[in-house]
């Protein structure tokens, strides 16, 4: 469902060149659950943003559901994103002046649903935040904001879920609840890609891709228990 | 060096009352290294902000170096903070439109040092970011921003370091480098309080305080290896 071919992404800053992604090639089957791991600064978030249609590579190709994403206009890209992908950002990216509930409703309203409240409340309940839905992001703890970001990513029932370090701000128990949620979504047939620094989270995935210095160093299947 | 007595912090939101801290009492000796753990939403960041003189409790007392902090004016509080405390925020709180280097220089400039560049460069080098000093926060990875926040917290050589989940966005190896840094600072006699969800990090501390629902549930000394 996801095919990345010879992808490169470079940043130029003050005369120096940073190769955030260097000739990256890999694929993810529909319904797979894949972990992406690697050192801080190795290119994981950069890769996730391109896969999530939030950014474009400088060279190389990205096929999503067999469609060459680079041919799409900005609007068409936004539509594909909204219909097919749920994204949990490493820095959450919640809108600051609206409530948790309103944040989670947004993807549904954008998709044209006129009634979003019920689904948003359910998504927030799944991540354990039923008693926080009226809070704005600055009235929430770090881990609560992270869970609102997860709820927002799943509320449209997307085919693909991209989660960039979804448990970094959570205690072990709450983190396990989120992993159980992802397992359930994966059992429903959704494709899940998780960037994580937590070996426990990576161990739950059927394949682990290791990135360093913008390159894929290792890609191995793991027998999951 | 830190004495918290019967501290309570309550938030009122839309008719409901949230007891973020409920009658919390504890003390930290000068030179100790203490871990604060507990579930998401349990009150850890709220407690850290009050200890860091960034917020006031609704009731109870906070003595820092035997001085009752609640008697200080806003300006006096800011001065104490700047002179004695280095704070690593859970959400980093870097200034977005200046570089990593400039962000790390700020506490020194605020303290009246006319030359801040050398110390700031050294702090960034200690956290492994010498080749990123000219980047602005949105040109850095999540873990790089976290490390800039750590560099900023240590650059004034403060007596007390408060770190709110300083390794949540770091891979294991980089996280260990940060813990080695904290050990070194502690060996120099600085008092360190770390909020963490990582059992490995908590295990490195000589005492662990467990918080749930705004209350201290457990406080135990751990023989450190
Ligand atoms: N301004 C506010 N208004 C209302 N409630 C708030 C406000 N700030 C925090 N809270 C609530 O207070 C509780 C404690 O928050 P705090 O940030 O201290 O938790 P925490 O232990 O740091 O959690 P985490 O591990 O997720 O970072 C949370 O349940 C949060 O929803
Ligand atoms: N706009 C930019 N300009 C210049 N360099 C950038 C920019 N954005 C990211 N980088 C650099 O690209 C590299 C890869 O960044 P990326 O965010 O993908 O890392 P990451 O693997 O997600 O790291 P982490 O685990 O710390 O989140 C980093 O070294 C970063 O400094
Ligand atoms: Mg990242
Ligand atoms: Mg917190």
């Amino acid at each position: 469902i996801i095919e990345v071919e010879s992808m490169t992404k470079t940043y130029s800053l003050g005369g120096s060149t940073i190769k955030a992604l260097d000739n990256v090639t890999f694929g993810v089957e529909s319904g797979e659950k894949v972990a992406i791991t690697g050192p801080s600064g190795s290119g994981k978030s950069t890769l996730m943003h391109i896969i999530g249609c939030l950014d474009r590579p400088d060279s190389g190709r990205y096929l999503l559901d067999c469609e060459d994403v680079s041919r799409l206009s900005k609007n068409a890209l936004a539509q594909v994103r909204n219909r097919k992908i749920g994204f949990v950002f490493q820095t959450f990216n919640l809108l600051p002046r609206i409530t948790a509930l309103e944040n989670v409703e947004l993807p549904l309203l954008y998709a044209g649903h006129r009634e979003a409240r019920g689904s948003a409340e359910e998504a927030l309940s799944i991540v354990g935040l039923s008693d926080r839905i009226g809070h704005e992001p600055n009235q929430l703890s770090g881990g609560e904001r992270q869970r609102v970001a997860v709820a927002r990513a799943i509320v449209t029932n997307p085919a693909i879920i991209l989660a960039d370090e979804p448990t970094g701000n959570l205690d072990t128990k709450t983190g396990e609840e989120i992993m159980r949620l992802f397992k359930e979504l994966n059992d429903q047939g959704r494709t899940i890609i998780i960037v994580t620094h937590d070996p426990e989270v990576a161990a739950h995935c059927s394949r682990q891709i290791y990135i360093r210095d913008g390159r894929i160093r290792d890609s191995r299947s793991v027998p999951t228990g």
Side-chain angles (χ1 to χ4, degrees), chain A:
Chain A
I1 194 171
I2 284 172
E3 286 236 40
V4 169
E5 293 172 18
S6 310
M7 186 175 287
T8 295
K9 179 81 181 177
T10 308
Y11 295 110
S12 311
L13 199 64
S16 69
T17 298
I18 294 163
K19 263 194 168 167
L21 292 176
D22 188 359
N23 220 347
V24 170
T25 294
F26 78 101
V28 179
E29 306 280 323
S30 178
E32 255 199 299
K33 188 149 145 262
V34 178
I36 298 179
T37 63
S40 172
S42 56
K44 306 179 297 296
S45 296
T46 302
L47 178 58
M48 290 288 267
H49 275 69
I50 293 173
I51 293 176
C53 302
L54 293 156
D55 199 3
R56 294 186 195 267
D58 293 323
S59 67
R61 244 181 10 144
Y62 171 32
L63 300 173
L64 171 61
D65 254 346
C66 308
E67 187 173 24
D68 187 343
V69 149
S70 56
R71 311 251 159 132
L72 300 179
S73 70
K74 265 202 159 193
N75 278 338
L77 210 59
Q79 291 230 0
V80 164
R81 213 161 58 217
N82 178 255
R83 274 197 348 258
K84 295 188 178 183
I85 299 171
F87 203 117
V88 186
F89 291 88
Q90 186 170 7
T91 46
F92 321 149
N93 293 15
L94 302 178
L95 295 194
R97 290 196 223 98
I98 59 177
T99 64
L101 183 68
E102 290 164 334
N103 262 287
V104 176
E105 289 178 326
L106 275 185
L108 290 167
L109 299 176
Y110 187 78
H113 296 238
R114 283 171 55 245
E115 174 50 56
R117 185 175 178 119
S119 308
E121 282 183 343
E122 186 182 352
L124 283 162
S125 157
I126 290 172
V127 299
L129 291 178
S130 296
D131 55 358
R132 291 287 182 271
I133 69 177
H135 288 228
E136 293 180 3
N138 68 352
Q139 296 168 328
L140 293 171
S141 77
E144 289 167 347
R145 288 176 209 171
Q146 188 156 41
R147 285 182 277 160
V148 174
V150 172
R152 183 180 63 178
I154 67 170
V155 75
T156 52
N157 289 316
I160 301 167
I161 295 169
L162 305 178
D164 197 347
E165 305 196 34
T167 60
N169 280 282
L170 302 175
D171 54 283
T172 313
K173 178 157 170 292
T174 311
E176 284 173 353
E177 287 165 25
I178 296 302
M179 290 319 296
R180 267 200 294 278
L181 165 64
F182 283 164
K183 174 175 192 322
E184 194 170 322
L185 293 165
N186 187 235
D187 290 344
Q188 291 168 10
R190 301 173 207 288
T191 308
I192 311 223
I193 303 180
I194 307 177
V195 168
T196 185
H197 285 309
D198 187 342
E200 290 284 317
V201 171
H204 280 155
C205 300
S206 57
R207 184 152 60 105
Q208 297 181 25
I209 296 176
Y210 181 78
I211 294 185
R212 206 178 70 216
D213 299 326
R215 295 179 187 185
I216 293 182
R217 295 291 165 163
D218 196 17
S219 174
R220 56 181 58 187
S221 290
V222 198
T224 32

